Amino acid sequence: MTGLLTGACNGLFGGGGGMVAVPLLQKLLHMEAKKAHASAISIIFPLSAVTAAVYGFRGAVDWKTLAYVAPALTAGSILGAKLTGKLKNGRLEGIFTALMFLSGIFMVFA
């Protein structure tokens, strides 16, 4: 069930599966926050590759924008992974919760 829901969200929202996977891994599989985040990224990577291929074959990818933002995305990913390793689980959960909340507010009012 966790995999199906995560995959469906990733396909529908273009990468939103990780936001679903983290809390599901924590609640259903009783993982600590750091392991849940690392596992979610590991799960999302192949899902995102498949989703990107489907979008790419359908002509839905703006390749110029991707080429422009890819270096910053890569640097941010490395920085985020290193920072996650240094944070305590409670702090990581708080940041994740705040980000999810702010994202929801933004989506409602934007």
Side-chain angles (χ1 to χ4, degrees), residues 54-103:
V54 170
Y55 285 143
F57 286 126
R58 289 187 178 169
V61 176
D62 183 341
W63 296 105
K64 287 182 182 180
T65 300
L66 178 62
Y68 180 73
V69 300
L73 292 171
T74 302
S77 296
I78 293 167
L79 179 65
K82 288 184 177 192
L83 183 60
T84 298
K86 294 180 181 194
L87 293 172
K88 293 183 179 181
N89 282 317
R91 175 73 68 180
L92 182 59
E93 288 175 356
I95 292 168
F96 184 74
T97 301
L99 182 60
M100 294 291 293
F101 179 76
L102 292 172
S103 296

